[in-house]
Every structure is written in structure tokens, then in C-alpha cells.
Amino acid sequence: MQSYGLDRGPAKRLVLIVADGLRADLLLSKQPFPTIPGSPETVAPHLRSVVERRGAFGVSHTHVPTESRPGHVALIGGMYEDVSAVTKGWKTNPVDFDSVFNRSSHTYSFGSPDILPMFAQGATPGKVDMWMFHEDEEDFTKDATALDTWVLNHVRDLFHNASTSMALNAQMRAEKTVFFLHLLGLDTTGHSYRPFSREYMNNIQVVDNIVRQTEQSFSEFYEDSETAFVFTADHGMSRIGNHGDGDPDNTQTPLIAWGKGIRGPLPDSNPSSHDDYSAPWDLTRLLRRDVEQADVAALMSTLIGIDWPVNSVGVVPDVDHTRPGYLLDVDGGKTQAEAALVNARVLLSHYRVKHARKREHTLFYKPYPYFSDGETYLSGQMKLSEIEHLIKRQQYDDARQASSKLIKHTLEGLRYLQTYDRTLIGAIVVVAYLGWIAYGASTILVPPSSTGITSRLQAIDLVAAVTLCAFWTLFILQKSRGSFYLYIIFPVYFWHQAIRRFGSNVDQLRKLVSTTHLSGLFVRGGLVVVTLEGMVLAYTHRSIWSIGFLIMGLAWPLFFWPNEVQARNKLLHRSWTISCLATAIFPLLDVNKKESIPTVLAGGVCMLVAGFYGAVRASREWRQLPRTQRISFQRAVGVQCGLLISSMIVTASTALRLRQKLGLPLLNQIAGWTILVIASGFPFLLRIEKPTPEARITTLFLGFSVCFVILSISSEGLFYCSYATTLFVWTEVETVLRAYRHRMILKEEDNKSEVGLASTIEAYRPQADDMRIAVFFLFFVQVAFFGTGNVASISSFYLEPVYRLVPIFSPFLMATLLIFKIIAPYIILSAFFALLNARLHLPPFSLFLVALTLTDVMTMTFFFKVTDTGSWLEIGQSISFFCVSSLLLVWSAGICAIGEILMAGTTMHVSNAKAKKEN
């Protein structure tokens, strides 16, 4: 694409200061830290004086994901990077892009090694100079303000070196120069201590002082007023010290601009530019001018008169002639009008490229209606010529109005082209989901058959082949991406297999329909759908998980257990009710937790007690085995309990040192890693001949208990213990109920030989209770993920416990530890689910097939809810929910496979004496 820009800007140089992780409200509010004794009324007096006396301010609205890399790309490149860049750790450029730095005469950048290199890569060689601190300095357990003062000191060193080097001095005094100061301290402090802490408040004061001293250094070196300053943040920070999602605390960041070419403060307009968010700032008398984050790149390019980044989709705030922007009007609005024209040219260049590609690759292509009156180039060029003519006639407001209209339609046209294939792709995905449901239903309802009407099956095969070839031909003609060819395979394959199976078993299908009570089937199906939709609603209303446990623990036994089972299993009934009520507590707890070591240790004690009970129970089951085998198991449990106690001691010591800001002692770090690795690997390395299921599950439970001490912030260990207990009792309950129902069926059958058990997955046919068990399984899958986290966002999982092992910023290692903690409950669920399959005498994966058929009801609901319009909170949540539900679908398959592997080699027999009596 061709680049465009102003010939000359009002300022000779630009200083961009980005306070990583700074919230707008905590910077500008009066008395933002009321709970901290002695906190000042104004935390950042210098920046506030700039807002009140000589600058313009507003809120810069970021996009999801609210992370450092995409935030800086939007600020400096003017584009919103695709979220697939997360696979690169937000560091390496998946695709090189243009930036303000690349368009400058020279850029001097100071700050983090995580941000600076991505703007030097792909830029003109030698144009971007970098001064970076070592990545080991990003220590979450130490005072992060040192990172910010490091930047200030190196800026001063640069000025000092320029005073002794004529070449450097001349280079720095050239026009169109950019200075970039990346201040990482607030992000590190926010993660470690959370935004409403004294540490975060002190860091804001340090940043304010650095801005003041930086401005003073520029004034002393250049001895002029030709410098423009822009102060902003890449993203905000949630109350719990995280970011990444669309929470307003993460998406609303400050923007303050002052210096050459920037207007001063203006009285507020009518209607007011303020809302409830900025009311506490006590700045309602002044105009607040909000922007989108990518607009900042357009503003900076205008200020120093450089070509705009060719990838920029930002809109300079001064395009709108009805509201003041950020530029100072010194020529009757000519600069603003010319900037608006450049803005229109840049965006129209985007549209032309996308339009040409889409027209070339699409059959029956329909262009965006606004540009459909002729060739896009000619149509757009005519509109640009009209704007140029208005500027020549000095009709600047009319020119800005015309540019604004063209920009608006061009952005809408870009969105039109970006979503051109959305209907087709969405339809393919929905048909694929429905096909999967049909395929799953055919697998569990209709037995496989080698017979069938050959002509009918051949017709089914032919239709499937023709359908697939037709779509592939369409994609070839349109030169579609390779993913399109994969998308269409799934619906064609699933529907082909489902129809083929039904078609080869027409008689069996008719028999099934004739012998099924349709009214009962519809009632059960309706209840299942209502339950699944309730789980969908629970993603945004945590209390629904608790309601689910109440229904399972109270209503289900009372109304659906046979009277005989209730009478003969009173202890089991009470245990089930108590365990469900205990687990129901956790979704009701506040997700904004603070570190509570006593609660963590209480969880450790509960896990010790539960492990001891499991060991005793397993030993009883082993009475018939040699004494040496029982002793080996007891010793293994003793070692695991010792590791769990050691983890509690190390965690308490580490947490105390971190609270005192003494850093993470090397001995504690080594001890923590050693205990975690040994404890987690111990159950898999333990070799005991033919252990009972209870013994294997006990060792697994204790093995992952250490994780819920070292990586817990509060009640996670208690949840893990309660969750595992509920799974244990659930297995016993289902065993008793299935044994009772089998006995009742045997009494009713004249020929008992007719009541057989499926030995293979192909021979399995679901019973009435299997659908309910599958729904229970899906419920436990969801609760394992969201039991203690905030269902609104994956970013709600806390980082503080990770600092006990990894004090230095390492995104992939930190994410690995968090994922490991998330996986732990699923290991226990997989073991219990495999045991349940065996207890019910079902083939492996049989219940999972039923669950897998049902779960797409949830996934499709979330798919229909996905949106890219509205608030960024709504957009982020809709995407997160769909991703989580889809991944849990895939993860469910892994759970069953892992469970069968973990429980392989165990006795896998019905060990409950009461269940035997029921037989």
C-alpha cells in the first residue's frame, strides 16, 4: 500500500511515554486510595497540572486482548493485531508491520526487552535505537519502580553523551525524531500487589516524577518549545491484578497530550463529555476527548508530520469538526483538514487492497454499497478530489466533514470485507455441530450392521462425495484459504456417517421408535436441554453452579431415589448431601480473593485427612493381599503426606518473605520446585502390583494436593478436597443405584439370559440413567474449571502464587503452572469416571459418547452468542466462553482416555459391600 502523510507537522520531535498497566481512574481521581492511611488527594500532581493548565486529556479505549504487545502495536502501529500473536508470547512479530518509529527520522527507545525489539524488527535498519534492561530485572518479588528509574537514568545518559558527541547531537536535533519511554513498573507492581495497594500508589508517584524530570531534561537540552509529549498506557489493570480480558478496568487507559502543536484545556461541551467513570476526577469543567487506542498513532504522525504507518486503521481525533480534538488550531483549521484528508487516503488504501483481493477470489462478488457506483479507485478518488477542492477554497470545516463521512464509510467497508464470508463459515460450523450430534446419536442408538440396501448406501455415498467436491470446486474457483477445505470436511463426514448408519438399520430404527415411550423421551430430552442451557447461564451467574449442587444433593435423592435405596443407604445418602452442600459453597465465594495463608494451610490439613481416610479404606480392600504389598502402599502414602506437609511449611515461609518484600529466597525456590516436581510425578512412578482403584486414586489425590498448596492463594485446596470427596461419593451412589435397577430388571424378566451387559463400545446401548450420568459428568467438568475462578474470564486466575516459584517474568512458564493447577482436578475426575464405567459394567468411553453427543448443545449456544460488536467486555466474554466450552469438549475426550490409562492395572471391581448386597 502507498504511504501518505503531512509534509510538515507542528512539532519537531515527539516524546511518547507509556506507563504499562496504568489505570486512568487511579491516575486522575481525587483521593483514589481512600483505604491507605496518609494517601495524598492527588497521586500524580504533575500530570494533573498538565491536564488543568496546558494540555488535552481523555480516555484511550483499548481492544481485547488487553495485553502489552497488542496494546503497543495499536499505539505505535495504528493497527489491532490478530490474537494469534499470543502463540508468539506477544514478542516475536508473526508478520512485520509498519510503525510510527519506522516513519520517523530516528527513534530512541528505552525500556523492556519484551516490547522494544518488536518495533526494531522490520523497521529500516539503524532507524530504531534501543536501551533495554535485562529480562532478569523483571522480578515480581522486588520493588519494580527501579525499572522506571532505570529508563529515566538512561535518557539522561543519552543527553549527556550528545553533549560530547557532535554526530549524536546533530542526529537528535533533526526534525521528526521520536523518543519512546516504556515504563514497566506499574504492570509488575499491579501483578504483585494489585492496583489498590500502597505499592501501586507509590509507583504512580514515581511515574509522575519521571514525567516531570523527563520534560525538564528535554527543555534543558533543546532550549526550545518544539517538543510534543504524549502520555498513555497500553492497558489497565483489574482489581485482582490481572489483565487480558475486556473488563473496563483493563480497557480504559489515560491519554494526556501537551507541548508543541497540542491545544490547551477547553471548557466542557454540552452535552457533557464526562460520565460516571470520570466524575470522581473532579475535572468535569474541562473537555474530555476520548479516542480508540489505534487513533494515537494517527495523532503522533500528524504532530511531527511523518507518513502514517501504512497498516494504520486509526482516526485522528480532529477529523470530527463538531468537537475539538487534540491539535492546536493555528491556521484556521487547515492543519486539521489536511490531517483528515491524509486519514481518508490511508484508510481508502486499505479498502482498495482488500476490495481487489476479494473481487478476484469471489464468485458473484458484491462490493460495499457506498463504493458500488463505479470502480472503487475511481469512486474513492473522486471523493478525495472533492475534499482537496474544499481545502483549496479554505472551506476547512466542510473538508473535515467530507473526510469524516468518507472515513466512516471506508471503515464500514473494511468491516464488510473482513466479514464477507462470515455467513458461509457460520453455516458450515453449525451444520457440523448438528452433524456431530446426529453422528453421536446414531453411534449409541443404532447397532453397526454389515447388511443394508446396497443401492441406498451407494446413493448416500454419492451424495456425500458430490457435496464435498462441489464445495471444494467453489473454494478452488474463489482461491479460498486452506482452512475452508477443512471446515467443509467435518459436516459432510458426520452427516454421511450418521445417515449411512441410520440407512443401513431402517428396521432396527423402526423397532426402536415403536418401543420407545416418546412422551417420556421428550420429557427427559427437555430436562437435559434445560440443564445444559442452565450451565450456559452459569458462565455469567456463578450461583447457578451452587443451585446445581443443591438440586443434586437434596432434590435428586428425595424425589428420584427408590425408597428401598434410601432406606438401606442412609449413611451414603447423608454423605452425598453433605458433600454436595459443601462444594456448593465455593461458587458463592467472592472471586476477588486476597492471599490467605491460614486458609491455604487449612486446605492442606483437609487434604491430609482425606488422603489418610483414602489410605485406610484402600488398605481394608487389600486385606486378602500379601502384607508386604500393603506396607509398600502405606509407606508410599506416608511419603506423599510428608511432601504435602513440607509444601505447607515452604509455602508459609515463602509467602512471609514475599510480603516483607525480601524477594524469593533461592533455598525456598529450590525447595518449592523440588517438592512440586517429586509430588506430582510420584503417583506415576509408583509401582504397586494390582492396586485397588481406591489405592490408585488416593495416590493421585495426594500427588496433586501439593499443587493446591504451593499454587493456591486462598480456598483452592479446600475446593479440591471437597470436589474429590463429592466425586468419590457420586461413584458409590451410582454403583448402588445401578445394582438396584439391575436386580429389579432381573425380577421382571422371564428369561434372565436376555439381560446381558455390553462388552464392547459397539455393543453398548444407553440405559435410562446414562443420559443423566452424562449430564452429571458434564456438570463436574465445568465445575472443575470454574469452581474457584471467575467465569467471566480466564484472566481471573491469580498470579501471586506463581511468584513463589517464578519471580522473574516468564509468560509461558507462568502459564504452564496455572494450566497445571487447572488440570489437577480433571486428573481426579478422569480416574473416578473410569472407575464409574467399570463399576457400572460398561465398556470404556461409553458414557463419554453420551456426554459428547449432548455437550454440543452448549457449544452451539455459545457460538451463536459470539459477537465483535458492543462493549469490549461483551466481546471478550463471548469469545472466551466459546473457546472455553469448545476446549472443554476436547478436554473431556482426554479425560476419559487419561482415566482409562491411569486406572489400567487396577482390580477395577465393585468393592462396596452394600452394592454387593444389592445384587
Side-chain angles (χ1 to χ4, degrees), residues 44-96:
H46 177 72
L47 285 169
R48 188 174 182 88
S49 68
V50 169
V51 169
E52 294 179 330
R53 300 174 184 174
R54 54 195 179 97
F57 81 102
V59 173
S60 172
H61 296 274
T62 70
H63 289 198
V64 270
T66 47
E67 298 286 350
S68 292
R69 176 190 169 88
H72 281 88
V73 171
L75 288 170
I76 301 167
M79 56 173 279
Y80 298 109
E81 191 171 44
D82 190 86
V83 293
S84 62
V86 72
T87 60
K88 304 290 185 178
W90 299 128
K91 295 180 181 180
T92 306
N93 295 352
V95 177
D96 290 336

Side-chain angles (χ1 to χ4, degrees), residues 179-197:
F179 295 83
F180 173 45
L181 281 64
H182 176 235
L183 307 179
L184 183 63
L186 280 165
D187 185 72
T188 305
T189 302
H191 285 314
S192 300
Y193 302 102
R194 304 189 183 186
F196 287 93
S197 63

Side-chain angles (χ1 to χ4, degrees), residues 184-253:
L184 183 63
L186 280 165
D187 185 72
T188 305
T189 302
H191 285 314
S192 300
Y193 302 102
R194 304 189 183 186
F196 287 93
S197 63
R198 180 179 292 276
E199 291 79 6
Y200 194 85
M201 179 189 72
N202 292 339
N203 208 147
I204 293 178
Q205 294 175 316
V206 169
V207 167
D208 184 65
N209 189 46
I210 288 175
V211 173
R212 181 183 60 81
Q213 295 187 57
T214 298
E215 186 177 5
Q216 181 179 351
S217 297
F218 272 85
S219 178
E220 292 173 352
F221 180 80
Y222 288 104
E223 296 180 338
D224 62 20
S225 301
E226 300 296 325
T227 307
F229 294 87
V230 175
F231 177 87
T232 187
D234 54 348
H235 56 75
M237 185 76 63
S238 70
R239 295 183 66 88
I240 63 173
N242 286 343
H243 55 82
D245 60 8
D247 189 299
D249 289 335
N250 294 331
T251 61
Q252 297 181 131
T253 60

Side-chain angles (χ1 to χ4, degrees), residues 710-711 798-807 813-814 817-818:
I710 296 179
L711 296 178
Y798 300 90
L799 287 174
E800 285 103 314
V802 178
Y803 304 150
R804 300 169 190 164
L805 298 175
V806 187
L813 182 56
M814 290 176 168
L817 289 172
L818 288 176

Side-chain angles (χ1 to χ4, degrees), residues 28-49:
L28 296 172
S29 292
K30 284 290 188 73
Q31 199 66 46
F33 298 92
T35 61
I36 299 178
S39 62
E41 183 182 40
T42 301
V43 181
H46 177 72
L47 285 169
R48 188 174 182 88
S49 68

Side-chain angles (χ1 to χ4, degrees), residues 292-492:
E292 297 296 321
Q293 194 171 45
D295 300 346
V296 177
L299 174 63
M300 294 190 297
S301 300
T302 303
L303 284 171
I304 54 177
I306 59 175
D307 283 357
W308 293 20
V310 294
N311 310 107
S312 174
V313 294
V315 179
V316 67
D318 296 78
V319 165
D320 186 358
H321 73 288
T322 62
R323 297 181 60 202
Y326 280 76
L327 299 177
L328 178 64
D329 185 0
V330 295
D331 50 14
K334 181 181 179 181
T335 301
Q336 285 88 337
E338 290 178 342
L341 175 60
V342 171
N343 206 153
R345 289 184 187 278
V346 171
L347 293 175
L348 191 59
S349 176
H350 276 250
Y351 181 85
R352 285 169 176 167
V353 171
K354 289 185 178 291
H355 164 80
R357 289 182 177 179
K358 183 59 66 176
R359 183 180 60 180
E360 180 183 357
H361 296 164
T362 305
L363 299 177
F364 314 112
Y365 170 67
K366 293 182 179 180
Y368 179 62
Y370 185 75
F371 297 110
S372 62
D373 55 344
E375 287 297 318
T376 301
Y377 181 85
L378 297 176
S379 176
Q381 193 61 41
M382 289 177 58
K383 294 175 173 58
L384 292 176
S385 299
E386 292 173 2
I387 298 171
E388 290 176 340
H389 183 67
L390 291 172
I391 293 176
K392 289 179 180 179
R393 296 175 57 184
Q394 299 183 1
Q395 295 176 318
Y396 302 131
D397 285 348
D398 292 339
R400 290 165 66 184
Q401 183 178 4
S403 297
S404 178
K405 181 180 179 181
L406 179 57
I407 289 170
K408 175 178 176 293
H409 284 289
T410 305
L411 289 173
E412 291 176 353
L414 285 172
R415 174 173 173 77
Y416 171 81
L417 294 175
Q418 290 163 354
T419 60
Y420 192 87
D421 296 318
R422 173 171 292 185
T423 302
L424 173 63
I425 298 173
I428 292 174
V429 171
V430 171
V431 173
Y433 280 133
L434 294 174
W436 172 256
I437 293 175
Y439 177 53
S442 68
T443 303
I444 62 179
L445 292 177
V446 181
S449 175
S450 57
T451 63
I453 303 175
T454 304
S455 59
R456 180 187 297 164
L457 297 182
Q458 289 177 344
I460 294 172
D461 295 342
L462 179 62
V463 170
V466 169
T467 302
L468 185 62
C469 290
F471 274 99
W472 278 3
T473 302
L474 174 66
F475 296 154
I476 290 172
L477 293 175
Q478 295 192 153
K479 299 180 181 179
S480 300
R481 291 179 298 174
S483 56
F484 281 51
Y485 298 86
L486 296 177
Y487 288 155
I488 195 61
I489 290 176
F490 292 103
V492 172

Side-chain angles (χ1 to χ4, degrees), residues 659-699:
R659 285 183 180 179
Q660 296 173 345
K661 302 178 186 177
L662 299 175
L664 176 61
L666 180 61
L667 180 62
N668 287 42
Q669 186 178 15
I670 294 174
W673 274 109
T674 303
I675 293 170
L676 180 64
V677 172
I678 293 176
S680 302
F682 189 85
F684 304 98
L685 300 176
L686 182 63
R687 291 290 179 265
I688 299 178
E689 186 179 354
K690 292 184 178 179
T692 63
E694 289 83 357
R696 177 62 57 81
I697 290 175
T698 298
T699 57

